[in-house]
Amino acid sequence: MINVAKEMEHLNKLAGDNQEKRFTGLWEPITSEIWLAQAWEEIRRNTGSQTPGIDKETAEDIDLNRIRQLSKKLHDGVYRPQSVRRVYIPKSNGKLRPLGIPTIEDRIVQQALRMVLEPVFETDFLPCSHGFRQGHSPHTALRDVARMYPRVSWVVEGDIVGCFDNIPHNGLLQAVARRIMDGQVMSLVSAFLKAGYMENWHYHKTYSGTPQGGIISPFLCNIFLHQLDKYMETLGANRVQTSKESNLRRSNEHRKIESAITRTRAKLRNSPDRQVRRELLDQLLGLEKERGQTPYYDARHHTKLGYVRYADDCVPRA
């Protein structure tokens, strides 16, 4: 009998110990009744489990007998993902965001698939990636941006337009195959990507993208955009500098002002005269204001690059 939690921990350890390992034998746990039942337990608590797909079924239509039937369909090779039901929700800018709502059975299989893939790919993901990951959130992304902010000259907000709808299927499957060598698992991922969508009861094929609304879509997006994170890393993003390296990058103007502030503070500590102290305080305030308006780093030195990503939004900082 499979212990789901221990199996996930085991996969995570194997992936962490060998960054080049490609995994096989993942189909058996995904298709087992125990694994599917745990997947169902994970999603049935969410209010979204009451949202129907194109078959109009909700969480109330699922029981252990349906889980057994689903396991048998997967084992027999007759399971096929159904197309998602497309709906639109308003965005903050007044536009509409398309969502794809899978059937409840497809959501169970997607969750089972994510439960076997996530422990593997989590060992690859970088700390700069904050979207849809345990232990990460918009707050942790904002925290990292805030920590870098006092030492940056430029902050650039990046947004990949239509990211979920335009991810190339071949490129995404290649990114998954870097770690997964199980043909049945790869075929299942491909089947979900190509399942298409229904809008006003008209079927549309999908040639790219992974629909927002699916359980596995944010995870697949992270797998694909991990390549962007790695590229930014090759540019030196988020590399920890030594104190010596950081000090060498400081501009001469900023150094002079810092020295003047240090001298003024020393005089202030040693001066008993009230009038002199007032004058020194005024000088100190002026110097601190000037320091805030003076570039900390010398443009001649290599710029230190910071980078934070939350899903398809990123913030490079220099």
Side-chain angles (χ1 to χ4, degrees):
M1 183 178 291
I2 295 175
N3 184 312
V4 177
K6 286 188 176 180
E7 182 65 23
M8 291 173 69
E9 288 176 9
H10 180 60
L11 287 170
N12 184 257
K13 185 176 187 308
L14 288 175
D17 290 344
N18 185 353
Q19 295 291 321
E20 302 301 319
K21 182 176 176 61
R22 297 180 69 203
F23 286 79
T24 59
L26 301 178
W27 185 248
E28 194 61 32
I30 289 176
T31 58
S32 72
E33 290 181 23
I34 294 174
W35 200 276
L36 290 168
Q38 181 62 39
W40 167 233
E41 188 67 23
E42 294 288 331
I43 65 174
R44 76 179 182 85
R45 307 175 192 141
N46 300 327
T47 54
S49 64
Q50 298 299 329
T51 305
I54 61 170
D55 60 358
K56 299 185 178 180
E57 289 189 335
T58 66
E60 296 174 357
D61 297 295
I62 300 297
D63 55 21
L64 286 177
N65 187 49
R66 286 289 298 275
I67 296 294
R68 292 191 194 98
Q69 293 174 15
L70 182 57
S71 174
K72 187 175 187 305
K73 284 197 291 186
L74 286 161
H75 274 296
D76 293 346
V78 297
Y79 168 80
R80 297 292 182 274
Q82 297 188 61
S83 54
V84 299
R85 180 170 68 91
R86 173 159 283 191
V87 298
Y88 293 88
I89 61 170
K91 297 170 66 175
S92 58
N93 60 5
K95 296 182 180 180
L96 295 175
R97 183 193 306 277
L99 291 185
I101 310 299
T103 65
I104 197 72
E105 276 197 354
D106 287 347
R107 272 176 266 178
I108 294 171
V109 177
Q110 284 191 22
Q111 176 65 15
L113 183 59
R114 187 175 78 170
M115 285 162 51
V116 82
L117 296 181
E118 199 168 53
V120 174
F121 284 94
E122 267 296 325
T123 63
D124 296 340
F125 293 158
L126 301 178
C128 60
S129 171
H130 293 267
F132 313 110
R133 297 178 61 197
Q134 288 189 4
H136 295 263
S137 68
H139 295 91
T140 59
L142 289 170
R143 176 203 64 198
D144 285 1
V145 172
R147 284 176 176 174
M148 182 68 72
Y149 186 79
R151 287 285 186 266
V152 300
S153 301
W154 298 91
V155 177
V156 180
E157 180 187 6
D159 184 6
I160 303 172
V161 178
C163 176
F164 281 86
D165 295 330
N166 294 298
I167 293 175
H169 287 170
N170 286 341
L172 176 54
L173 290 171
Q174 286 174 17
V176 176
R178 196 187 66 79
R179 278 297 217 163
I180 307 302
M181 201 167 55
D182 189 310
Q184 290 172 297
V185 172
M186 293 300 299
S187 294
L188 183 59
V189 174
S190 178
F192 276 121
L193 294 175
K194 293 175 168 47
Y197 66 91
M198 294 284 286
E199 185 173 3
N200 296 325
W201 297 108
H202 286 87
Y203 173 75
H204 301 266
K205 289 185 177 180
T206 44
Y207 299 99
S208 66
T210 175
Q212 293 185 72
I215 286 177
I216 203 170
S217 295
F219 172 64
L220 292 177
C221 179
N222 271 339
I223 291 177
F224 187 73
L225 292 182
H226 174 66
Q227 298 169 101
L228 173 61
D229 300 341
K230 292 290 289 182
Y231 173 72
M232 295 299 292
E233 194 178 58
T234 64
L235 299 180
N238 300 330
R239 185 176 70 85
V240 178
Q241 291 188 329
T242 65
S243 298
K244 182 178 180 181
E245 288 174 326
S246 181
N247 192 51
L248 285 172
R249 296 174 57 224
R250 290 176 57 198
S251 68
N252 288 330
E253 292 78 8
H254 200 279
R255 290 173 191 272
K256 289 175 182 177
I257 297 170
E258 282 280 10
S259 297
I261 288 174
T262 301
R263 290 194 301 270
T264 304
R265 284 176 177 165
K267 290 178 182 177
L268 187 62
R269 284 194 301 269
N270 298 325
S271 177
D273 187 278
R274 195 172 289 182
Q275 179 61 33
V276 173
R277 287 177 64 83
R278 271 199 220 98
E279 292 173 359
L280 289 171
L281 280 170
D282 289 341
Q283 290 178 29
L284 190 58
L285 288 172
L287 287 167
E288 289 177 341
K289 183 178 180 180
E290 186 180 358
R291 178 179 61 179
Q293 298 171 345
T294 303
Y296 186 83
Y297 293 123
D298 192 330
R300 295 173 300 171
H301 289 286
H302 179 67
T303 300
K304 181 177 180 182
L305 179 65
Y307 169 76
V308 174
R309 181 177 64 81
Y310 186 92
D312 56 345
D313 295 299
C314 62
V315 181
R317 313 176 307 278

